[in-house]
């Protein structure tokens, strides 16, 4: 899951960023409202964590413009503006949730999981597809009930594929979802992770679509 973190307070940003990374989220951080708007419009994010008091453009304006442009990325506002009126305004502008600063990181994660469940159409933190189940809060994956020893990025890759079981992803899309903009990714990194996940489960769990990319085993989603 790729998160756009919009926060001009460096201390908060670095705390949230490392907490998200520890939970295997890919984070891109911007500190300015205009940059945030451009980043959100030009890239695919699964979630935006949005501060309101920002240089360049207020967070409410960023959110309003995104929604006017039909961008539906889930948004959690995280702001020191704590009045009921502020919260109503934020939610009415299209935020999915509103968290008042100072906040507990565990509460932020609980709200993120709630959004992931909504997006995934599931009522629990378990994402289940065929013989695979992923525990989103514990970052654990199971195959036929057996826990898989996955590295953090292997888990993220598998999660991306399981969340979108009908979609074929190019290597570039998968790299972007795992690494964001900044990192220098080795050219066969994704193939290495795919190989490793196959070894830990079975070869066809991730199918190679020639010339296009990868998808999760279609047997999980297509009637046989
Ligand atoms: Ca701020």
């Amino acid at each position: 899951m790729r998160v756009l973190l919009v926060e001009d307070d460096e201390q908060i940003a670095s705390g949230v960023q490392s907490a998200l990374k520890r939970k295997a989220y890919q984070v891109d951080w911007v500190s300015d409202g205009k940059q945030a708007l451009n980043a959100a419009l030009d890239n695919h994010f699964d979630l935006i964590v949005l501060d309101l008091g920002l240089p360049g453009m207020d967070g409410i304006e960023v959110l309003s413009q995104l929604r006017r442009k039909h961008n539906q990325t889930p948004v959690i506002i995280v702001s020191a503006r704590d009045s009921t009126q502020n919260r109503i305004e934020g939610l009415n502008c299209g935020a999915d949730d509103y968290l008042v600063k100072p906040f507990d990181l565990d509460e932020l994660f609980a709200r993120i999981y709630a959004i992931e469940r909504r997006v995934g159409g599931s009522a629990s933190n378990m994402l289940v597809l065929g013989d695979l189940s992923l525990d989103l809060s514990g970052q654990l994956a199971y195959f036929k009930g057996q826990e898989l020893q996955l590295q953090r990025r292997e888990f993220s890759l598998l999660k991306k594929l399981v969340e979108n079981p009908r979609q074929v992803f190019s290597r570039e899309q998968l790299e972007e979802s795992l690494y964001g903009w900044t990192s220098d990714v080795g050219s066969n990194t994704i193939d290495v992770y795919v190989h490793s996940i196959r070894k830990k489960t079975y070869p066809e769990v991730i199918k190679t679509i020639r010339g296009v990319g990868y998808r999760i085993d279609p047997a999980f989603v297509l009637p046989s």
Side-chain angles (χ1 to χ4, degrees):
M1 176 146 150
R2 188 178 178 197
V3 180
L4 178 63
L5 172 63
V6 187
E7 174 59 71
D8 63 326
D9 180 315
E10 279 193 31
Q11 211 177 340
I12 297 177
S14 95
V16 172
Q17 203 171 10
S18 28
L20 284 165
K21 285 185 174 165
R22 276 199 300 278
K23 299 253 187 198
Y25 293 92
Q26 168 56 43
V27 193
D28 291 303
W29 170 41
V30 293
S31 55
D32 169 285
K34 279 190 189 140
Q35 280 173 15
L37 182 62
N38 291 334
L41 291 173
D42 293 346
N43 299 271
H44 173 81
F45 291 98
D46 303 294
L47 174 72
I48 301 171
V49 176
L50 180 66
D51 181 24
L52 295 184
L54 293 166
M57 185 187 286
D58 192 82
I60 286 290
E61 184 57 27
V62 174
L63 176 58
S64 306
Q65 290 210 26
L66 277 178
R67 295 308 188 229
R68 278 206 295 278
K69 294 184 158 93
H70 305 289
N71 181 300
Q72 298 301 325
T73 310
V75 169
I76 300 179
I77 291 178
V78 176
S79 172
R81 297 178 194 164
D82 62 351
S83 75
T84 307
Q85 194 49 44
N86 291 140
R87 280 178 278 162
I88 291 171
E89 185 189 21
L91 294 168
N92 281 343
C93 277
D96 296 80
D97 207 339
Y98 196 111
L99 188 58
V100 172
K101 287 176 184 167
F103 60 94
D104 192 301
L105 280 172
D106 286 338
E107 187 177 0
L108 175 63
F109 280 111
R111 289 167 188 247
I112 292 175
Y113 299 148
I115 286 179
E116 286 186 275
R117 289 199 298 269
R118 251 188 337 260
V119 171
S122 152
S124 79
N125 287 331
M126 290 298 279
L127 192 62
V128 180
L129 186 72
D131 289 330
L132 288 168
S133 26
L134 273 59
D135 172 355
L136 300 180
S137 46
Q139 302 291 305
L140 300 170
Y142 301 86
F143 176 62
K144 295 189 170 173
Q146 296 289 314
E147 189 185 333
L148 298 171
Q149 301 299 319
L150 297 185
Q151 292 174 28
R152 195 163 59 89
R153 289 217 159 95
E154 292 171 357
F155 181 86
S156 299
L157 173 60
L158 189 61
K159 182 171 144 200
K160 182 85 185 165
L161 297 173
V162 168
E163 279 173 336
N164 306 278
R166 291 171 191 278
Q167 199 176 329
V168 178
F169 291 95
S170 67
R171 280 183 185 75
E172 294 71 32
Q173 285 173 315
L174 292 172
E175 277 171 11
E176 199 177 290
S177 106
L178 262 62
Y179 293 92
W181 310 313
T182 42
S183 307
D184 222 353
V185 189
S187 61
N188 65 345
T189 311
I190 296 295
D191 308 79
V192 171
Y193 291 143
V194 167
H195 177 74
S196 167
I197 294 169
R198 283 173 175 161
K199 250 175 61 183
K200 291 168 183 175
T201 50
Y202 63 100
E204 290 294 296
V205 69
I206 296 174
K207 266 200 111 54
T208 303
I209 311 294
R210 252 175 201 287
V212 190
Y214 294 112
R215 66 169 295 177
I216 201 75
D217 186 350
F220 290 145
V221 276
L222 301 175
S224 50

